[in-house]
Amino acid sequence: MTAVLEARGLKKSFGRNEALRGIDVSIRRGEIVAIMGPSGSGKSTLLHCLAGVTVPDAGIVRFNGTAISTLDETARGRLRLGDFGFVFQFGQLLPELTAIDNVAVPLLLAGERRAAASARAAEWLVRLGLDGKAQRRPQELSGGEAQRVAIARALVTKPAVLFADEPTGSLDSLAAEGVMKLMIELVRESGTTVVVVTHDSRTAAYADRDIIVRDGRVSVALGEAA
Amino acid sequence: MDSALTLLGLVSLKPSYGYDLKQLYDRLFGLRKPLAFGQVYATIARMIRDGLLAPLGEEAGDGPDRKRYAVTPDGEERLAEWMFTPDVPSETLQNNMFAKTVVALLTGRDAQRLLDLQRACHMEQMRALTRQKQSAGLMHVLLYDHALFHIEADLRWIDMTAARLTQLRAEVLA
C-alpha cells in the first residue's frame, strides 16, 4: 500500500545535541503507528519533522509523495491546517474559549462561516461523548474531557494524518483508556492515519505497530516494517 | 487461578447442579479455557470427599443432573481463607529474561537485540489483548486489564534494563 508519510535520512540537531541521526520511516494510509523510546531519544523531534512543524537539517519528508520538508513556512502552515490534526499532552485549548468554540477554531481559520463551523463542532463534541459540555471552558472540564475536546478539534477538519504527542500523558489510567478508545474508534471509522508519540505501552498498544527511537535512530532489531 | 475454589465460591451463591455450575463458570471465567464436564464432576467429588461440599439429595434440574450440591460450614471456612489470604506476587516471569540478558552481556552477545525482540513480542501480545478488550464486557475488561498491566510491568523492566545496558555490561565483566 502507498505510504502517506515517508521520511528518508532525517537528521536534526539542536546546538550540539543530535536529536535525529538518520531516520527512515514509512507510514501507510490508515495506519496507526506509535513512536516510542526513552526520554530525549528524539521521538518528539521525529513527530515534529513528519508534521512539518520542524524542518530537518538533512533528509526528506514526503506527504502523499510531495516533499514537505523543503516547503516554506507559509506552505507548511497551510498543510498543517488542512491536512494534519494535532493533539498534545495538555495546554492546547484556548482558555478563554468554550469547548465548542475551541473545536470550531480550525474551521474558522480555514474560512468556514461561523454557523456552519459551530454546527460541525457540536457534532464532533457529541461523537466524543461531550454533549452538554459545549459551553464549558477548558478549566471547567476534567483532564479526560479536555483531551476529548482537543481530539474533536484535531479531527473536525477531517485531516489525513493525526499527530498526537503524549495524548494520555497527563491522564490517569481510566481517563487515558477512555480517550484512546474513542480516538481509535473515530480514526478507524474515517481511515485517518495516526502517528502517536508515547512512553506508555498501554497507549501504544492501540496502534498497529510501534517504532522505537533510541539515540536519534530507529531501533533495528525487527527492521522497520515499511 | 484455582478452579476448584472458584467453583466452591459459585456453589456458595446457592446450592447448584454440576451442569449449571459449569455454565456459570464458563460464562464468568472460561474466556480462554472452559471447564470440561468431567473436570467439574471430578472436582465436586473431591470436595465432597474433603467435606467442603455436600449433596442435597436427588431432584431433577434443567440439565441432565439429578443432584444438587451445597457448601458445608468447612467449605465456607475454606472459601473465606482462600479469599482473604493475599496471593504472593509472582517473581518468576523476569528470571529467564534476566538470565538471558546477563549471559548475553557475559559472552559478548547482543543484549540490546534480545531485549528489543522480547519487547516486540510483549508489544504484539499487548496489541492483541487491547483489540480483544475493546469489544469485551466490563467483567472481561477486568481480566484483560490484569494481563495488560502485567505485560506492562515486564515492558518497563525491559526498557529500564535497556537503558542500563552499558553500566550493566561494565559491572558483569568487572
Side-chain angles (χ1 to χ4, degrees), chain A residues 45-219:
Chain A
T45 305
L46 173 59
L47 180 126
H48 292 152
C49 285
L50 291 174
V53 174
T54 300
V55 178
D57 299 333
I60 192 163
V61 178
R62 288 193 188 88
F63 167 62
N64 283 336
T66 305
I68 62 167
S69 41
T70 51
L71 296 175
D72 64 20
E73 176 52 35
T74 312
R76 281 187 287 116
R78 263 200 309 274
L79 187 77
R80 290 198 298 268
L81 187 62
D83 293 289
F84 297 163
F86 294 88
V87 177
F88 302 104
Q89 186 171 347
F90 44 56
Q92 55 202 304
L93 298 177
L94 298 165
E96 64 275 20
L97 296 187
T98 59
I100 192 166
D101 286 345
N102 262 290
V103 177
V105 162
L107 296 172
L108 296 171
L109 287 174
E112 196 156 323
R113 283 165 185 270
R114 174 163 279 281
S118 292
R120 273 175 69 187
E123 272 171 40
W124 275 91
L125 287 177
V126 171
R127 296 178 81 175
L128 281 139
L130 292 164
D131 25 340
K133 307 279 165 114
Q135 297 307 321
R136 302 263 178 99
R137 288 189 163 71
Q139 59 274 22
E140 296 165 335
L141 298 167
S142 70
E145 287 168 348
Q147 277 311 69
R148 281 186 280 147
V149 172
I151 290 168
R153 189 177 67 178
L155 293 177
V156 72
T157 54
K158 298 186 177 163
V161 186
L162 174 66
F163 293 95
D165 195 351
E166 299 285 5
T168 58
S170 59
L171 306 178
D172 64 44
S173 296
L174 201 57
E177 179 180 300
V179 163
M180 283 309 292
K181 201 175 169 199
L182 263 174
M183 187 174 103
I184 295 300
E185 272 170 23
L186 292 169
V187 296
R188 293 259 189 235
E189 201 178 291
S190 57
T192 310
T193 305
V194 178
V195 182
V196 55
V197 163
T198 181
H199 70 277
D200 179 358
S201 50
R202 273 176 297 124
T203 294
Y206 285 91
D208 299 317
R209 66 183 166 107
D210 54 309
I211 294 171
I212 310 296
V213 179
R214 197 177 288 122
D215 294 330
R217 295 190 176 91
V218 171
S219 163

Side-chain angles (χ1 to χ4, degrees), chain B residues 89-97 154:
Chain B
S90 161
E91 292 180 33
T92 55
L93 280 174
Q94 240 81 298
N95 285 351
N96 208 34
M97 291 195 282
D154 276 0

Side-chain angles (χ1 to χ4, degrees), chain A residues 36 173 177 181 184-185 200-202 204-210 212 214 219-222, chain B residues 112-113 116-117 119-120 123-124 126-127 130-131 133-134 141 145 148-149 152 155 159 162:
Chain A
M36 302 188 77
S173 296
E177 179 180 300
K181 201 175 169 199
I184 295 300
E185 272 170 23
D200 179 358
S201 50
R202 273 176 297 124
Y206 285 91
D208 299 317
R209 66 183 166 107
D210 54 309
I212 310 296
R214 197 177 288 122
S219 163
V220 290
L222 298 172
Chain B
Q112 182 71 70
R113 178 173 157 74
D116 282 349
L117 289 168
R119 193 182 186 292
M123 276 308 300
E124 190 52 51
M126 221 171 172
R127 280 192 286 269
T130 300
R131 280 194 296 274
K133 179 181 154 181
Q134 278 176 280
V141 162
D145 276 344
L148 285 166
F149 281 116
E152 185 190 21
L155 280 165
D159 285 344

